[in-house]
Amino acid sequence: MKVQFYKLGLLSFTSLAVLSACGDAEQENTENTGEEQKVLHLAAESEMDTMDTTISTTNFTPMNNVFEGLVTYDLDGNLVPGNAASMPEVSEDGLTYTFTLQEDANWSNGTTVTANDFVFAWKRMVDPENGSGYAYLFSGIIKNAEAILNGEAEVDTLGVVALDDKTLKVTLEKPVPYFLDVLTIPSYFPQNEAFVTEQGENYGLNAENAIYNGPFTLADWDSASGDSWNYQKNDEYWDKDTVNLDEITTQVVKEVGTGLNLYESGTLDSISLSGDFVAQYTENADFKTNDKAWIYYIEVNHEVPELANENIRKALSYAINRQGFTDNVLLDGSQPIFGHVPNGLAKNPETGVDFREDAGDVVQSDVETAQAAWQAGLEELDTDTFSLELTTSDSEDSKKLAEFIQSELQNNLPGLTIDIRQMPDNSRLDNIKSGNYQIATSYWLADFADPINFVERFDTDINRGNYSFEDIDALVDQSNQQYDDASARWNTLIEIEKTALGEHYVDVPIYQTAEAYLEKPYVKDIYRPVFGSRSFKYASIDDTQKE
């Protein structure tokens, strides 16, 4: 069924010029080579400000396609060597990782990718003078990183050394079972010292002021004015034979309606959907969804006397119909979640079973159970009514979630009144961090693809709910000591979640977000991980499915 969408008027002359230029370039490439070029046409939601991995905190999709770290993910989401020739040698104590680099790993200007390129980049990341927003990903992981960031040690003491041009030795502060996953983040990608130094303050500000070691290079982009750019196949890339596409044209499209016009006209091959547009297109043959490692939940302040009661917290957790919210309110492919670790984030190291399936439903939606716990809690508190303030941000989606929670809790828990307090998201977060809240809508997204990123939050020293449970803390400590036993560690991570949510009811998970989009049937194998950025390395165009 073809769904109608809103008519939004003509495109600007500038947009038409960009689209026309893309078409002309594709035709010219065909004429010059004698073969039809494999060109994909995509949209981006925002401009890029820099390609300097030390500075950027937002441009991860472009960076993941023009740069590459020591390890990366294959199309099935498995960790595989990237610019490293093989997985590292790891010392018995789990503190030292030795990487050998690909012999034919080059930068796009033809120079060799060396171990020093990683040393240089990582030291730039932790240098306090650079103020990198993602420097915290080194703290507590790479030896001396935390001390360097605190001004207590020199940058040159960072635990990374080039033993020779192709051998990199990394020393950790402590054993970190998820260290290899962290290496897939752009903050850990290499930089060519000679080139960065030569460019100075201009490094990474346009396509020509950067060089690349990934599957693609950038072209036709400038940070000052660029709302479009192209990816071009990198002939210097060590695994170039795997790359199917010759080029990817990208333009910034901020309005979904505009993107839909471009998609329907054949100008774009894929477009993200949001808001009311999702429901309009669910029956379209091109409609797809993809889970994201992003959960929404209710933060609970245990210092509030009523919320210090375990039965009251249990009642809050069981009283909400999560499925009703995702099916009837959101309508965007999001799914209810009955734990904290999202679907698709990580697999059992022995069986390959997803964490969410292994752990099962730690909490449930069950009004009868909720009301029994509620009555028990009220008796223990010697009251029959009280009110709670629900803090939320002022976005439309947050308002929908808050109003749904208000309705569910007031309808299912007699005697409870929920007052909603809306504020800008930064203010909401500040209030939660300072403990100035009772219950609050909140969200958490992965920094790396390991369950610890979600369950360590229940530890006394990390949580924002002002609670402390010795059994949870002991389990978190236990998981950190099991760096050399992946199966035992996996089981401990499951136990942490079950203890925190199924025994102590520390907070209330609600739903896992999803990306909804339209994509032409001839587009194949864009890697869309639950965590992280899209990769176009394996993407291709199936000409047999083109009209």
Side-chain angles (χ1 to χ4, degrees), residues 355-376:
F355 185 97
R356 193 70 272 131
E357 183 178 347
D358 256 2
D361 292 347
V362 181
V363 298
Q364 298 179 34
S365 298
D366 187 310
V367 174
E368 185 175 342
T369 299
Q371 291 179 343
W374 178 248
Q375 290 304 317

Side-chain angles (χ1 to χ4, degrees), residues 163 166 243 310 396 416 540 542:
L163 300 181
K166 290 293 183 179
V243 181
E310 190 170 282
E396 187 62 31
L416 177 61
S540 63
D542 184 352

Side-chain angles (χ1 to χ4, degrees), residues 231-357:
Y231 300 97
Q232 296 179 346
K233 184 174 181 178
N234 184 2
D235 289 332
E236 293 288 343
Y237 180 53
W238 69 271
D239 196 22
K240 64 182 178 182
D241 291 343
T242 300
V243 181
N244 298 295
L245 298 175
D246 296 297
E247 187 176 6
I248 304 169
T249 69
T250 305
Q251 60 180 301
V252 175
V253 179
K254 297 183 178 181
E255 299 293 333
V256 177
T258 302
L260 286 169
N261 277 325
L262 297 174
Y263 183 84
E264 290 284 353
S265 69
T267 302
L268 291 177
D269 297 315
S270 182
I271 186 69
S272 295
L273 299 176
S274 62
D276 294 336
F277 290 104
V278 177
Q280 295 181 50
Y281 277 83
T282 53
E283 301 301 320
N284 189 294
D286 294 351
F287 179 82
K288 298 178 181 180
T289 61
N290 184 61
D291 286 339
K292 304 301 291 181
W294 186 323
I295 68 163
Y296 277 79
Y297 62 101
I298 303 174
E299 202 104 44
V300 176
N301 187 349
H302 291 226
E303 288 189 340
V304 175
E306 293 86 353
L307 298 176
N309 182 281
E310 190 170 282
N311 275 310
I312 295 297
R313 298 197 305 272
K314 180 177 180 179
L316 297 179
S317 184
Y318 275 75
I320 297 172
N321 181 358
R322 299 159 173 83
Q323 191 78 53
F325 180 67
T326 57
D327 287 356
N328 303 318
V329 180
L330 284 181
L331 299 169
D332 64 355
S334 297
Q335 294 295 323
I337 192 166
F338 300 93
H340 256 271
V341 179
N343 288 286
L345 180 74
K347 299 176 183 177
N348 186 306
E350 288 191 354
T351 66
V353 174
D354 187 81
F355 185 97
R356 193 70 272 131
E357 183 178 347

Side-chain angles (χ1 to χ4, degrees), residues 460-471:
T460 297
D461 295 332
I462 299 177
N463 77 73
R464 301 182 302 200
N466 299 307
Y467 56 80
S468 178
F469 294 102
E470 291 183 0
D471 50 356

Side-chain angles (χ1 to χ4, degrees), residues 121-229:
W122 294 9
K123 287 183 177 180
R124 285 191 80 212
M125 281 293 305
V126 301
D127 189 336
E129 291 188 4
N130 292 327
S132 174
Y134 271 86
Y136 74 89
L137 288 173
F138 287 72
S139 182
I141 296 180
I142 307 299
K143 187 174 180 62
N144 291 332
E146 185 172 355
I148 294 168
L149 288 166
N150 291 335
E152 300 167 356
E154 297 297 321
V155 174
D156 285 342
T157 65
L158 186 69
V160 56
V161 177
L163 300 181
D164 56 46
D165 280 352
K166 290 293 183 179
T167 310
L168 182 72
K169 178 182 176 181
V170 182
T171 304
L172 305 187
E173 193 73 55
K174 61 185 178 183
V176 180
Y178 49 86
F179 175 56
L180 294 180
D181 292 285
V182 174
L183 293 179
T184 65
I185 300 172
S187 305
Y188 277 89
F189 290 176
Q191 293 181 348
N192 183 280
E193 182 173 6
F195 188 87
V196 172
T197 302
E198 178 187 353
Q199 298 301 314
E201 294 182 355
N202 293 322
Y203 174 66
L205 294 183
N206 58 52
E208 291 71 33
N209 287 349
I211 54 174
Y212 315 96
N213 72 319
F216 299 92
T217 64
L218 271 185
D220 305 320
W221 169 73
D222 188 292
S223 61
S225 58
D227 60 359
S228 64
W229 57 88

